[in-house]
């Protein structure tokens, strides 16, 4: 094992750790999104897709286009 390759391995390990941390962060966001997507699919089944879970008003098209898995209107999601 030469010092050069040892140094390279340290560098690789650090990059790997940073990658892993970044992935964990993304996974948490993904979890939250998947829960929302599940809820949106339920709403499709219920026939309430596009209507706010909380106040029952229609969710604006712009919001559904930006976040098709939205289960609440902008006002209500700000409340939770
Ligand atoms: Zn609402």
């Amino acid at each position: 094992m030469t010092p050069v390759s040892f140094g390279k391995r340290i560098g690789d390990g650090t990059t790997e750790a940073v990658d892993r941390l970044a992935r964990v962060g993304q996974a948490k966001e993904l979890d939250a999104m998947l829960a929302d997507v599940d809820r949106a699919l339920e709403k499709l089944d219920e026939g309430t897709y596009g209507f706010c879970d909380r106040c029952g008003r229609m969710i604006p098209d712009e919001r559904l286009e930006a976040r098709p898995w939205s289960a609440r209107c902008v006002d209500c999601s700000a409340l939770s």
Side-chain angles (χ1 to χ4, degrees), residues 17-28:
V18 170
D19 275 358
R20 205 171 303 143
L21 281 174
R23 265 199 299 273
V24 169
Q26 282 167 2
K28 272 185 190 161

Side-chain angles (χ1 to χ4, degrees), residues 21-79:
L21 281 174
R23 265 199 299 273
V24 169
Q26 282 167 2
K28 272 185 190 161
E29 266 178 46
L30 210 63
D31 265 3
M33 205 189 89
L34 279 177
D36 287 352
V37 170
D38 271 354
R39 179 61 196 137
L41 289 174
E42 271 178 27
K43 287 171 75 60
L44 275 175
D45 275 350
E46 291 169 359
T48 60
Y49 179 77
F51 291 90
C52 175
D53 256 0
R54 190 177 168 280
C55 68
R57 280 183 302 193
M58 270 186 76
I59 299 171
D61 285 347
E62 308 90 74
R63 180 163 170 79
L64 285 177
E65 266 168 39
R67 295 178 82 239
W69 51 87
S70 298
R72 289 179 173 200
C73 68
V74 182
D75 289 349
C76 292
S77 64
L79 287 174

